[in-house]
């Protein structure tokens, strides 16, 4: 799987996924599960490079004293659009908010394993545009764009998140 970075705007970031051939529904479901899981971790502040206590402890984690104080500056993702598919491409829009670039490394690592074990992604493009599939300049103003795709897909009958 090739990874390519284009112009990146963390508040308006498109991530493009190129499949070797048009994906079947199961492949899109796998990809969507990875993206939603990644987003939920980001929404909960999981990608805060200032709080890598275990990572910085290096080898010996035995009896690590993890600080219980709260973060003065949380690192939170703000929003995720719905996964869209066209031909052998899929794309998803994100507002990474204040999440650190660590989030992209975690996503790329997960996508590499997903591509090796379950689906075949030829390429992942972070940021920029796809000339064959234009996007709205402002996703919030696009009539056919579902800015709150994650929330829409996870709201139960009572209006509560599942």
């Amino acid at each position: 799987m090739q990874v390519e970075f284009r112009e990146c705007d963390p508040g308006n970031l498109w991530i493009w996924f190129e499949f070797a051939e048009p994906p079947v529904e199961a492949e899109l479901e796998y990809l969507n599960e990875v993206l939603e899981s990644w987003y939920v971790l980001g929404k909960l502040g999981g990608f805060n490079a200032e709080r890598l206590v275990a990572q910085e402890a290096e080898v010996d984690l035995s009896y690590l004293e993890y600080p219980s104080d709260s973060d003065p500056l949380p690192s939170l993702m703000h929003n995720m659009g719905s996964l869209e598919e066209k031909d052998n491409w899929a794309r998803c829009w994100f507002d990474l908010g204040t999440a650190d670039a660590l989030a992209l490394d975690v996503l790329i690592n997960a996508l590499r394993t997903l591509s090796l074990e379950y689906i075949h992604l030829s390429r992942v493009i972070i940021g920029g545009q796809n000339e064959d599939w234009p996007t709205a300049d402002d996703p919030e103003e696009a009539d056919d764009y579902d800015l709150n795709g994650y929330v829409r897909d996870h709201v139960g009958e009572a209006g509560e998140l599942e």
Side-chain angles (χ1 to χ4, degrees):
M1 177 184 87
Q2 178 186 352
V3 177
E4 182 180 323
F5 278 80
R6 293 186 180 162
E7 182 178 343
C8 291
D9 174 0
N12 184 18
L13 184 71
W14 284 95
I15 302 179
W16 304 87
F17 309 92
E18 184 179 19
F19 290 82
E21 52 191 54
V24 297
E25 189 63 32
E27 291 174 314
L28 292 171
E29 287 177 22
Y30 275 127
L31 177 59
N32 196 51
E33 287 294 322
V34 169
L35 294 175
E36 287 182 352
S37 298
W38 178 69
Y39 169 71
V40 168
L41 287 174
K43 188 82 171 159
L44 295 172
F47 304 118
N48 188 344
E50 297 294 318
R51 294 284 296 185
L52 297 177
V53 177
Q55 174 65 30
E56 291 174 2
E58 296 179 12
V59 184
D60 189 12
L61 298 177
S62 300
Y63 306 104
L64 174 67
E65 290 187 33
Y66 206 94
S68 59
D69 58 332
S70 63
D71 292 327
L73 299 172
S75 244
L76 310 173
M77 280 190 194
H78 293 174
N79 216 332
M80 172 186 175
S82 297
L83 182 65
E84 302 172 23
E85 173 255 330
K86 178 181 174 185
D87 300 326
N88 65 324
W89 286 94
R91 69 182 183 187
C92 196
W93 175 86
F94 293 91
D95 177 349
L96 298 182
T98 56
D100 292 319
L102 163 70
L104 294 172
D105 284 321
V106 170
L107 177 62
I108 291 166
N109 288 339
L111 290 172
R112 283 191 190 283
T113 301
L114 180 71
S115 183
L116 288 170
E117 300 289 330
Y118 301 100
I119 66 176
H120 182 68
L121 291 172
S122 302
R123 182 168 49 152
V124 174
I125 301 172
I126 311 290
Q129 296 290 324
N130 184 333
E131 293 176 9
D132 298 333
W133 193 6
T135 63
D137 290 336
D138 185 356
E140 293 186 44
E141 294 177 9
D143 292 336
D144 62 344
Y145 189 76
D146 180 14
L147 183 63
N148 295 306
Y150 177 81
V151 173
R152 185 209 66 225
D153 294 342
H154 291 85
V155 171
E157 291 180 19
E160 301 287 324
L161 280 178
E162 296 175 341

